[in-house]
Amino acid sequence: MTFNLITNDSLAKIFAEISDSPLPSSEEIHIILEDGEHKGLEQERLFYDLANPLLIESKSGKAENCALRSENCEAFHKDTENRAVITFGQNCTSVTLKNFTIENTHVKTCEDASLGNQAEAICFHCPKGKLYCEGMRFLSRQDTIHVKGFSHFKNCYVAGDVDFIWGYCDTSVFEKCTLHTIADNRGNDRPAYVLQSRALNGRPGFVFVDCDFTAENRGKEAQIFIGRSQGTGKPDSLDRWDSIALVNCRISDLYDKALWTDEDGRRAVYPEMGSMMVGWRQFGTKICNGDGSLTAYDPSWQEKHGYTMSEEEARKLLKLI
């Protein structure tokens, strides 16, 4: 079933109509967004939780011309699955998003994250489903993207300031994407982190292939890291493993060359040392200098928990995902 959504139509209304009149679970829901700003109601919560495959795409195929925007956050709706602009629930099987922008417009107003700073653009809250995103733009500040299960982001742009990609995933692949760390609106003296992995036990976790890590200049003393630990992963825990892989990625010289951080030992890291399959690991990393030139990454710069894969290991990992 196909729906053409113009800018004054409500995506929430369409979701409600579909839920009230369920279709055979094999029938795909196809939503085409006209160009323009599909602005949600203030604090609107968009939720899709059907087994029907879902495809949402812009009519023009240009993400910068088509946007779904609203404000939501922990202060408005408690818990991860409730505070995103759009959430996909546990009954989802296949979700495909193409060529539009999803933006959570929440601006930080306090120091304590529990009081409202967490504000996802998208929450894929489905441990068994599959999410595929191509040509998308995901914009927020803290916790922009949260994923469970399996996901694949291709040619996407993701922006945020703290843990703006995170989740309890099995495998989440970012291919030819740009991950952009923005300034903190409360000031640039706070550290920034692209990722916090809570991957499933023994699974690949977050894998970045041929991606660009860029950043706004936060000043000379600013600290920007690719990843930090959540601090509670253990050998027998179901999830919360610190599994992030970089394969042939380019990283701005504004990032700390250690790449990863346990915050001066305040957060335990598990696995304590990365390997081909799990933990913090990288291969073929290059540093992008201020003048645009590239410098091969020196593995000796890597934080003590990090691991440098061989070319063969990197090739095997890519075959597995």
Side-chain angles (χ1 to χ4, degrees), residues 27-280:
E27 184 168 350
E28 181 184 72
I29 307 299
H30 184 192
I31 299 174
I32 302 172
L33 304 176
E34 295 279 354
D35 276 359
E37 184 167 321
H38 297 262
K39 189 173 179 65
L41 300 174
E42 185 176 357
Q43 302 181 21
E44 183 179 37
R45 177 174 175 260
L46 297 174
F47 192 79
Y48 183 86
D49 193 29
L50 299 177
N52 299 78
L54 174 68
L55 167 61
I56 307 177
E57 62 181 332
S58 67
K59 186 175 182 179
S60 68
K62 297 180 179 179
E64 62 271 20
N65 294 343
C66 180
L68 175 63
R69 291 189 175 95
S70 66
E71 181 182 13
N72 196 0
C73 67
E74 180 72 13
F76 299 163
H77 299 107
K78 300 296 183 184
D79 298 325
T80 307
E81 66 271 26
N82 299 318
R83 64 191 185 217
V85 172
I86 186 166
T87 296
F88 299 98
Q90 297 187 26
N91 292 314
C92 291
T93 56
S94 174
V95 174
T96 301
L97 308 177
K98 290 186 175 182
N99 303 315
F100 66 99
T101 296
I102 303 177
E103 180 177 5
N104 193 326
T105 60
H106 180 69
V107 176
K108 295 181 178 181
T109 57
C110 62
E111 293 297 324
D112 188 346
S114 66
L115 297 179
N117 287 336
Q118 295 156 295
E120 282 81 359
I122 180 175
C123 173
F124 190 68
H125 201 63
C126 183
K128 296 183 179 180
K130 294 182 179 180
L131 170 68
Y132 178 75
C133 301
E134 184 172 354
M136 293 290 295
R137 296 170 76 239
F138 300 97
L139 312 176
S140 186
R141 292 189 175 273
Q142 186 163 328
D143 298 359
T144 305
I145 288 177
H146 173 269
V147 286
K148 291 185 175 181
F150 299 86
S151 54
H152 186 175
F153 298 81
K154 185 175 182 180
N155 295 322
C156 293
Y157 178 91
V158 187
D161 58 11
V162 173
D163 303 337
F164 60 92
I165 299 172
W166 75 290
Y168 305 81
C169 70
D170 182 301
T171 308
S172 183
V173 179
F174 289 76
E175 179 185 359
K176 297 182 179 178
C177 293
T178 296
L179 304 314
H180 185 64
T181 300
I182 63 174
D184 192 310
N185 66 274
R186 301 164 302 171
N188 288 329
D189 56 335
R190 299 163 177 82
Y193 318 93
V194 178
L195 283 125
Q196 187 184 108
S197 171
R198 302 184 184 184
L200 300 188
N201 186 318
R203 301 304 298 153
F206 295 90
V207 181
F208 296 82
V209 184
D210 194 18
C211 290
D212 291 284
F213 290 81
T214 61
E216 293 182 4
N217 194 331
R218 289 172 160 227
K220 187 176 180 180
E221 302 302 321
Q223 288 184 300
I224 307 176
F225 296 94
I226 299 296
R228 67 165 172 171
S229 175
Q230 194 272 336
T232 59
K234 297 178 181 178
D236 59 350
S237 58
L238 295 177
D239 48 39
R240 299 175 186 265
W241 279 35
D242 298 298
S243 292
I244 303 169
L246 308 177
V247 180
N248 295 326
C249 292
R250 296 158 296 279
I251 301 174
S252 166
D253 62 1
L254 296 174
Y255 285 76
D256 194 294
K257 289 182 179 179
L259 302 182
W260 331 102
T261 178
D262 62 4
E263 298 184 50
D264 296 324
R266 293 193 300 272
R267 291 175 180 248
V269 176
Y270 196 84
E272 294 181 3
M273 174 59 69
S275 63
M276 181 194 83
M277 192 70 177
V278 295
W280 291 339

Side-chain angles (χ1 to χ4, degrees), residues 276 283 309-319:
M276 181 194 83
F283 169 79
M309 293 180 287
S310 68
E311 184 175 358
E312 181 181 0
E313 286 177 319
R315 187 164 48 247
K316 287 182 178 179
L317 174 63
L318 295 184
K319 287 182 178 179

